[in-house]
Amino acid sequence: MKALVLHKPGHASIETIPMPERKNGTVLLRVQMVGLCGSDLNSFRGLNPLVSFPRIPGHEVSATVVQGHGDLQAGTDVALNPYTSCGQCASCRRGRPNACQFNQTLGVQRDGALTEFIAMPREKLYPAKLTRKELCLVEPLTVGFHAAARGHVTAEDTVAIFGCGGVGLGAVAGSNARRARTICIDVDDGKLQLARAAGAAHTINSLTQSVHEGLLELTDGRGPDVVIEAVGTPATFRAAVEEVAFTGRVVYMGYAKEPVSYETRLFVQKELDVLGSRNALPEDFQAVIKLLEAGKFPVNDAVSQIVPLEEGPDAFRSWSEKPSHFKKILISLG
Ligand SMILES: [Zn+2]
Ligand SMILES: [Zn+2]
């Protein structure tokens, strides 16, 4: 079967590899479509410290069951949960397998889904009445939904979201699904427009407007109840604790690539809850599928193009050269 393989930074090619082994209890799937996200771009560029080469990327997957398995009939379309959990570490024992210490994400620490067939455990599969395009959006949206859950976002809250890329957009939709009022902050007007379509009540372009004044104006001078950070820069990490209201919650999803220095006084003075958010739980998958089945997400606006597998290596190259020219790229294998 064919697969897209990353060999070294900047080099991807289509190759023939053996069919997947089916271990006990795994379900054989025909991969239909795979979405690319920022972490795949980092892998392609050799900037993801968790990736060794050669590696098959891909963890945002739409697939079809090949052979029936228990309650899953052949031909059923599924989204899948690309994480593993060991069952033994502190996170797993606390019922938070999304943050498993020994997690291996598909396409990161182990080979991923940019291949014609994969075998997955039944419990990682989510059947849904969605199109292939929609199924590919399930996983990236769950990450933002999980952040909204971590922040205990409620209808009483105003939530500010820094960064409206794929993951930030999930936080907008997740906060919106919890009926909070959302304010989105980004440097890109196109992304802010998409955030509005996903439910943002207000947007601030931080290149042309003051974030501080904008947030105060929209919150009667108190600041947002919750800030979700989905950028990963020292400036946005700091802005989150500076802008959040007293006794507010700060949720970090962005991975900062360098150490961040803080005015830690604000943690105490504001009595903040500062929370990390990683990957997603099964309930986040269910919530996202419900949202997409209800047609409440601007799926077509969120996807910039669909290319066949053969053009995958070229798509990686163009994306790497001009990252701002692309929203979500989907690779079609069906
Ligand atoms: Zn991703
Ligand atoms: Zn674990």
Side-chain angles (χ1 to χ4, degrees), residues 4-332:
L4 185 148
V5 186
L6 302 178
H7 277 281
K8 57 178 182 178
H11 286 260
S13 58
I14 306 298
E15 289 175 21
T16 303
I17 60 160
M19 285 286 286
E21 263 178 61
R22 277 186 65 194
K23 297 192 197 100
N24 255 352
T26 59
V27 181
L28 184 66
L29 303 165
R30 174 95 173 82
V31 178
Q32 304 288 7
M33 209 176 260
V34 176
L36 302 183
C37 85
S39 79
D40 296 306
L41 182 59
N42 276 335
S43 306
F44 176 77
R45 290 168 159 178
L47 299 176
N48 188 337
L50 301 175
V51 169
S52 60
F53 297 103
R55 176 67 70 238
I56 299 171
H59 61 271
E60 303 178 355
V61 186
S62 153
T64 306
V65 176
V66 175
Q67 266 168 23
H69 182 101
D71 60 326
L72 273 186
Q73 299 205 341
T76 306
D77 289 329
V78 295
L80 58 87
N81 175 334
Y83 322 117
T84 60
S85 45
C86 73
Q88 302 298 324
C89 73
S91 302
C92 286
R93 292 166 76 112
R94 261 192 271 277
R96 289 163 60 181
N98 60 300
C100 174
Q101 192 176 349
F102 305 104
N103 166 59
Q104 295 200 310
T105 300
L106 218 56
V108 182
Q109 295 95 336
R110 57 187 173 132
D111 278 337
L114 270 171
T115 167
E116 291 179 276
F117 296 91
I118 50 170
M120 292 287 290
R122 165 66 185 94
E123 68 271 18
K124 300 290 179 188
L125 306 180
Y126 294 91
K129 289 186 184 62
L130 296 173
T131 64
R132 289 171 183 177
K133 214 193 254 188
E134 289 166 338
L135 287 167
C136 286
L137 292 182
V138 171
E139 189 275 339
L141 288 173
T142 60
V143 178
F145 266 61
H146 188 64
R150 287 284 288 151
H152 299 288
V153 170
T154 70
E156 314 299 308
D157 292 323
T158 295
V159 182
I161 294 141
F162 282 85
C164 299
V167 164
L169 211 53
V172 179
S175 302
N176 201 45
R178 291 166 170 265
R179 304 187 183 286
R181 182 170 68 121
T182 51
I183 306 169
C184 293
I185 301 144
D186 203 288
V187 295
D188 181 328
D189 280 329
K191 286 184 179 168
L192 289 172
Q193 200 185 338
L194 186 52
R196 273 187 186 272
H202 310 276
T203 55
I204 299 174
N205 185 324
S206 56
L207 284 184
T208 54
Q209 292 163 273
S210 159
V211 173
H212 179 66
E213 271 156 35
L215 289 176
L216 287 183
E217 220 167 89
L218 290 166
T219 56
D220 295 330
R222 287 189 295 269
D225 305 293
V226 181
V227 174
I228 299 179
E229 197 281 346
V231 181
T233 62
T236 48
F237 260 70
R238 273 192 293 270
V241 296
E242 285 163 6
E243 300 303 341
V244 73
F246 273 65
T247 63
R249 286 96 75 196
V250 172
V251 184
Y252 289 121
M253 301 197 262
Y255 263 90
K257 289 171 189 67
E258 53 191 300
V260 180
S261 60
Y262 272 102
E263 185 61 78
T264 57
R265 175 176 53 82
L266 292 173
F267 297 6
V268 179
Q269 197 177 32
K270 291 187 175 180
E271 198 172 64
L272 298 180
D273 288 334
V274 178
L275 303 144
S277 182
R278 180 180 172 194
N279 299 342
L281 282 165
E283 56 259 41
D284 301 311
F285 280 81
Q286 303 295 6
V288 169
I289 286 170
K290 217 171 113 190
L291 170 98
L292 289 171
E293 283 181 342
K296 286 188 187 157
F297 187 80
V299 174
N300 290 324
D301 297 341
V303 172
S304 49
Q305 68 215 94
I306 302 177
V307 303
L309 181 65
E310 286 68 25
E311 291 172 25
D314 278 337
F316 266 109
R317 269 189 293 276
S318 331
W319 189 23
S320 183
E321 278 159 22
K322 290 182 178 147
S324 63
H325 287 213
F326 297 88
K327 286 184 276 187
K328 176 141 317 269
I329 299 172
L330 301 180
I331 297 191
S332 169

